[in-house]
Each structure stands twice: as C-alpha cells, then as structure tokens.
Amino acid sequence: MTTPNFSEKDTAYMAHAIELAKKGRFTTTPNPNVGCVIVANDMIVGEGFHFKAGEPHAEVHALAMADTKAINATCYVTLEPCSHFGRTPPCAMALTKAGVRRVVIAMVDPNPIVAGRGIAILEEAGILVEIGLLGDQAKALNLGFIKRMQTQTARVTVKMASSLDGKTALKNGLSQWITGPKARIDVQYFRALQSAIVTGSGTVLSDDPSLNVRFSELTQATGFDDQINESELRQPIRIILDSHNKLTLNEKLFNLAGKVVLVTLSPRDDLHSLACIAEVEQIIGKNDGHGRIDLQDLLAQLNRYEINDLWVEAGAKLAGEFFKQQLVDQFILYQAPKLMGDQARNLVNLPNYSKMDEVVQLALKEVTLIGDDIRIISDRD
C-alpha cells in the first residue's frame, strides 16, 4: 500500500463510482451500497454497482463489462473488495485473476471478517493499492452498515412532524394532516432507505398505519431517479412495540405483504392461528423495570435481522425514550406553518431539565423547504 497521490481524474472516477453505489440504496440491505469503475487508457471500460444481497457485487459487474480490457487497468471501488466466500465469491480474488494493475479504494470495509484482508490479497498479488479517495463521501453511503459492523446495533433515525409551536396533535388526538402532501411524499423516500420501521402499539391503534413504502409516491419524491420497479423495492421490516398485547391483530399492517415483528413482554398465544398476509414474528423483550420494553436490549435483539438503518415513527413517549437513552443517531423533523395552541400534544416527552447543559443537544445538518413545510435534519451532537 502506497501513500496516495490522487489526480483530478482519480477523483472524478471515484465520484462516478459513488453515484453508481447510490443506485442500490433501496435494495441492498443488509449489504452495503458499493459502486465500481474500471478505467483503461483514460476510458471507462467497466462499471457496476451492488443491487441486492446474494447477487453479484459491484466489482463483478464491472469486470464482466470490461472483460479483457481489465488487464493492467485501474479499478475504483467505494468499499474494500470482499475477501471471503459468502453468498458470492471474494471480489479481491476476482480482481487479481482479471489482471488489474491498480486498485483505488475509498474506505476499508468495517466488517471484521474483511477489514484489510481484501487489501492484503490484492497487495500479495502485486497490485498497487491506494486508500482514502473521497472516503467521507463513501462512508456517507453506508452509515447504518458501518454502525452495525462496529456496534452490532442499527443506526437509529427518529422522524416526527409538528406545527411551528412544536405540537403533534390537537388535544383530542386529531393529527391528520399536520404537514402537506409534498412532505408526506418526501417521507416515502426516507422510509425506502431504511431496513426497518419502529412504532408503538398506541400509534397503530390510533392511526392504523400501513408503515410501508408506497411506490407510487416514492417515484414522485425529490431525489428519486432510479430505474427499479415496484417488485424490486425492498420493503422495510415493520417492528411494533406492544408491551401489553393491546393490538387486535386485525390492524391494516397485518394484511400487507412483508415482515412484521411484534415485540411484547409476554408471549401471545394467538399468533399461531393468525390468518393474514404479512409474515409475523414475535420477540419477547426485556422489562425495563417500569413495565416497558427495554430499548437497548431490543436493539441488541434486532441485530438477528441484520438491520442497518432503523426508522422510528412514533408518538411523544416512545420517541422521548429513544432520546433519553441517547439511542438516536439522527432526527428528522417536518415542521408545518401552523400554530396548534398550548393544549395540543407536545413533540417529545422529555424530563423537566433544570440546567441548560442537561438538555438534548443536536447538530443541525440541513434545513430544506419541502412544499409549504420545512424539513430539518439533525444528528446527535
């Protein structure tokens, strides 16, 4: 491995690989988004991206396109080529067999079963390996995957909608619709990026939501330019926290295709006879000592589903618990130009802090006008 000395052309080719990687953002989980470009004589001779777990990786697609033009070529890849036999053979070995001369890698794979091993295979074959070109942009492609590899828990995003005075519903519970149609379409785009959606039984009983991605709306969302069809779209796992088994099991979400995970404190004996369209599973959560589901234990248990990105759409109580336990990585708030009054319901239930240094501090990342509403994206500080 040499000290990188990247040219403007190197940067342009890696930027193209990053754009290719984004094409898998609605389909690849639990795998990372990866793009690859192969260049010979200052011309792109092969390119590809990873589309879905179990299907060929980005490097394989690019090598197939390049064919013999890969000999002595440079390969630009957004993530270290894999070194192990999983659902597909190792990409590092495929690159060595193809005869590439140089491999430029944006970032090392955080997966402990790779983490430098792919680089070692390339170097042992005499291939020049350079690392770090557009590394921050490459990391941004896979924040959830990186966190899961490093901590065995998903990256958590809490999404909420409120009025300008920070209210989520009227005193009588009415809340549809605080935000406008463009904001609701925008939510579909962010939902489609997630591995799973979490909510509480209270939200399900009051709103009877579908908690899925509506493809017809997704295709209208800003930023959607993919050529995938509805059958290829990955639907997030729907995770419902129902501590006291309040759900009737006749709710709408049980009659929509996809996986539903019920999280309870005591087993439901009626699931075996449940006749519905959804694939329903049950997790018995740990009691936090207050008759609620222990969220940290839940995140650890959910790792069995290889969830990279977890999207929380919940009421003030559950959202507040995620914040209080410092489990939120990102907060997305859609704020409508409305005032709902001091008797309306608050955004998030948090303790009555007595000092300013006790309050939840977030780092503001983005403020965007979406139709008549504002979308605010903040990360945990």
Side-chain angles (χ1 to χ4, degrees), residues 203-224:
T203 296
V204 174
L205 290 170
S206 63
D207 297 341
D208 198 19
S210 300
L211 296 179
N212 62 353
V213 179
R214 295 185 287 275
F215 188 76
S216 61
E217 294 184 24
L218 173 63
T219 57
Q220 302 173 48
T222 302
F224 184 88

Side-chain angles (χ1 to χ4, degrees), residues 165-226:
D165 52 349
K167 305 298 182 178
T168 62
L170 298 176
K171 183 179 179 180
N172 61 12
L174 292 177
S175 62
Q176 293 183 336
W177 295 98
I178 293 176
T179 56
K182 290 187 178 180
R184 297 197 294 275
I185 288 172
D186 195 64
V187 169
Q188 297 301 309
Y189 176 84
F190 283 92
R191 275 188 184 179
L193 297 173
Q194 310 304 311
S195 308
I197 298 174
V198 170
T199 196
S201 58
T203 296
V204 174
L205 290 170
S206 63
D207 297 341
D208 198 19
S210 300
L211 296 179
N212 62 353
V213 179
R214 295 185 287 275
F215 188 76
S216 61
E217 294 184 24
L218 173 63
T219 57
Q220 302 173 48
T222 302
F224 184 88
D225 57 0
D226 297 64

Side-chain angles (χ1 to χ4, degrees), residues 301-367:
Q301 288 205 58
L302 289 177
N303 193 46
R304 74 181 71 167
Y305 296 102
E306 299 182 297
I307 294 170
N308 294 332
D309 295 280
L310 191 66
W311 177 261
V312 179
E313 282 195 34
K317 289 182 181 179
L318 183 53
E321 284 302 314
F322 273 96
F323 276 109
K324 280 189 283 186
Q325 297 182 40
Q326 299 184 358
L327 301 176
V328 180
D329 296 290
Q330 184 179 71
F331 180 40
I332 298 182
L333 174 64
Y334 292 88
Q335 205 161 32
K338 298 174 182 177
L339 299 173
M340 297 174 66
D342 59 356
Q343 295 299 308
R345 299 183 183 182
N346 289 328
L347 182 66
V348 180
N349 286 6
L350 290 170
N352 290 317
Y353 301 116
S354 58
K355 299 178 182 178
M356 284 303 297
D357 59 6
E358 295 175 339
V359 304
V360 176
Q361 181 64 56
L362 301 172
L364 188 63
K365 295 298 181 183
E366 179 187 315
V367 179

Side-chain angles (χ1 to χ4, degrees), residues 28-33 50 52-54 57 87 142 145 148 308:
T28 58
T29 193
N31 287 1
N33 301 302
H50 184 44
K52 190 176 183 180
H57 289 185
R87 294 184 176 99
N142 294 301
F145 176 77
R148 181 168 67 86
N308 294 332

Side-chain angles (χ1 to χ4, degrees), residues 92-292:
M93 291 183 180
L95 289 170
T96 63
K97 291 179 181 178
V100 300
R101 178 185 59 84
R102 175 181 177 231
V103 177
V104 181
I105 300 169
M107 63 171 288
V108 176
D109 194 332
N111 187 342
I113 65 175
V114 181
R117 291 177 177 86
I119 294 168
I121 289 172
L122 297 171
E123 291 185 324
E124 287 169 6
I127 295 172
L128 175 63
V129 178
E130 297 176 316
I131 303 169
L133 179 58
L134 300 185
D136 289 342
Q137 291 91 321
K139 290 176 183 177
L141 291 169
N142 294 301
L143 293 175
F145 176 77
I146 292 169
K147 184 180 180 186
R148 181 168 67 86
M149 290 297 105
Q150 294 175 340
T151 68
Q152 288 71 59
T153 56
R155 182 173 185 261
V156 176
T157 296
V158 171
K159 170 264 172 181
M160 303 193 80
S162 79
S163 58
L164 283 181
D165 52 349
K167 305 298 182 178
T168 62
L170 298 176
K171 183 179 179 180
N172 61 12
L174 292 177
S175 62
Q176 293 183 336
W177 295 98
I178 293 176
T179 56
K182 290 187 178 180
R184 297 197 294 275
I185 288 172
D186 195 64
V187 169
Q188 297 301 309
Y189 176 84
F190 283 92
R191 275 188 184 179
L193 297 173
Q194 310 304 311
S195 308
I197 298 174
V198 170
T199 196
S201 58
T203 296
V204 174
L205 290 170
S206 63
D207 297 341
D208 198 19
S210 300
L211 296 179
N212 62 353
V213 179
R214 295 185 287 275
F215 188 76
S216 61
E217 294 184 24
L218 173 63
T219 57
Q220 302 173 48
T222 302
F224 184 88
D225 57 0
D226 297 64
Q227 299 302 311
I228 64 172
N229 57 50
E230 187 169 6
S231 64
E232 294 171 324
L233 178 69
R234 175 200 67 236
Q235 285 289 346
I237 300 170
R238 290 162 291 172
I239 302 168
I240 316 301
L241 277 57
D242 188 17
S243 304
H244 304 295
N245 297 342
K246 293 182 178 180
L247 295 182
T248 66
L249 306 184
N250 293 317
E251 289 78 17
K252 185 191 301 180
L253 63 90
F254 293 105
N255 285 300
L256 294 170
K259 185 185 293 290
V260 173
V261 176
L262 279 179
V263 187
T264 68
L265 290 177
S266 57
R268 291 194 69 140
D269 297 329
D270 51 355
L271 287 184
H272 68 278
S273 59
L274 180 63
C276 65
I277 296 174
E279 177 190 348
V280 183
E281 297 183 11
Q282 184 174 207
I283 287 180
I284 307 304
K286 178 182 176 182
N287 193 316
D288 69 353
H290 302 283
R292 298 172 304 213

Side-chain angles (χ1 to χ4, degrees), residues 10-27:
D10 287 329
T11 302
Y13 291 133
M14 185 62 80
H16 182 52
I18 286 172
E19 290 305 309
L20 287 170
K22 292 177 183 178
K23 292 180 179 294
R25 63 197 185 280
F26 302 124
T27 54

